[in-house]
Amino acid sequence: MTYCVALAVERGLVFASDSRTNAGPDQVSVFGKMHVLLEAADRFFVLLSAGNLGTTQAVRTRIRHDLEFDRRPNLRTVQSMAEAAEYLGGINAEQGRKHAEGGEPDTAMTATFILGGQIRGRAPGIFLVYSEGNYIRASSQTPFLQIGELKYGKPILDRLVKPDLELDDAARVMLLSMDATMRSNVTVGPPIEVLIYDPARPQLVRHMIFGPDDDYLRELGRAWQGYVEKAFSVLPPLPPRPAELLRVVDE
């Protein structure tokens, strides 16, 4: 299992991913799920991946070879983020068809991606690309996208994400979402990667990695837990019991 999340706010984009893969109780490994696909003067692309490890690696290899050998289309030739998402979706769907032709179970070999970045002259964006090749784009109503084990971290995002968040604050929200997921699902774990992309300073991408013994990650989790417990202690008490109590009927 994995957990990856991307957030688009007014000031830019933030990405976060864990690095744990699980193929059974005795096959837990560490693989990075965040990949900078292209960093050039006029464009920037980052990819988050979830699903079958072989499929995700095959998709990345194809993208890298298209760039290396100048096959068209590639990430240097696409004219928009939507076109990039369509290109990625086509490669992902092609890998799925290969597995189906080989007689492998479709669900066991699928992969899902989040593609984010910017092409000069256009707004930055994030896209969720499905195994079938179709995709959706984040919007002002849905500013974050998740893949993998998403249910535990979503409530924090729903409560705290706002369009005007500073990028550093957005990154902290993402880490809290990751902390909640790790607490509830042991198959999601560190190292945790966070990448901050500021369109105003596209050449100054911040990429941070928090290991299992990272002091900041531990302190953030402890502080959040303490404040949650404190908030609970000052919640309004239950209302007084109603005048009419339920009667216990003897059978």
Side-chain angles (χ1 to χ4, degrees):
M1 188 53 70
T2 187
Y3 178 46
C4 300
V5 56
L7 171 61
V9 292
E10 292 172 355
R11 289 171 174 79
L13 308 176
V14 183
F15 306 85
S17 67
D18 84 312
S19 301
R20 184 171 294 176
T21 63
N22 179 30
D26 57 348
Q27 297 185 46
V28 177
S29 304
V30 173
F31 286 93
K33 299 159 191 175
M34 179 184 297
H35 311 277
V36 176
L37 299 176
L38 179 63
E39 190 172 4
D42 66 334
R43 59 192 59 208
F44 177 78
F45 294 102
V46 61
L47 187 72
L48 306 179
S49 59
N52 180 267
L53 185 61
T55 301
T56 62
Q57 290 182 346
V59 169
R60 295 200 319 273
T61 298
R62 166 67 183 280
I63 293 171
R64 186 174 69 250
H65 285 176
D66 285 352
L67 287 168
E68 181 179 355
F69 301 111
D70 196 27
R71 299 169 181 159
R72 305 297 178 98
N74 62 57
L75 291 180
R76 289 195 184 94
T77 66
V78 295
Q79 299 301 305
S80 67
M81 288 300 302
E83 190 175 335
E86 185 172 354
Y87 162 70
L88 171 62
I91 296 175
N92 198 20
E94 181 181 334
Q95 289 299 318
R97 288 191 294 270
K98 286 182 180 179
H99 295 311
E101 291 170 359
E104 298 171 0
D106 290 344
T107 56
M109 303 300 294
T110 58
T112 310
F113 298 93
I114 294 176
L115 177 69
Q118 184 180 27
I119 295 175
R120 181 185 292 171
R122 295 179 176 270
I126 53 176
F127 291 76
L128 174 57
V129 181
Y130 297 100
S131 57
E132 296 82 2
N134 56 326
Y135 60 87
I136 61 172
R137 180 173 188 161
S139 65
S140 57
Q141 291 76 31
T142 309
F144 60 85
L145 299 172
Q146 302 167 280
I147 52 177
E149 185 58 273
L150 52 88
K151 57 183 176 292
Y152 300 111
K154 187 175 185 296
I156 289 176
L157 300 172
D158 286 335
R159 288 182 179 274
L160 296 180
V161 166
K162 295 179 175 59
D164 60 352
L165 276 177
E166 297 289 342
L167 288 173
D168 280 11
D169 290 340
R172 290 194 300 165
V173 171
M174 306 274 270
L175 285 172
L176 289 177
S177 177
M178 190 68 67
D179 175 78
T181 304
M182 291 190 295
R183 179 175 290 269
S184 298
N185 190 328
V186 296
T187 66
V188 175
I192 304 302
E193 294 189 62
V194 174
L195 187 146
I196 300 175
Y197 176 77
D198 183 351
R201 300 185 298 172
Q203 303 305 318
L204 298 177
V205 175
R206 291 180 61 190
H207 184 199
M208 297 167 281
I209 301 177
F210 301 92
D213 299 320
D214 186 86
D215 291 338
Y216 176 77
L217 199 61
R218 287 182 172 180
E219 179 58 27
L220 188 72
R222 284 196 294 264
W224 179 251
Q225 180 68 26
Y227 283 119
V228 169
E229 292 174 356
K230 183 178 180 180
F232 177 78
S233 69
V234 298
L235 287 175
L238 288 173
R241 292 188 300 176
E244 295 182 4
L245 300 178
L246 292 177
R247 295 180 180 179
V248 177
V249 179
D250 293 332
E251 296 183 358

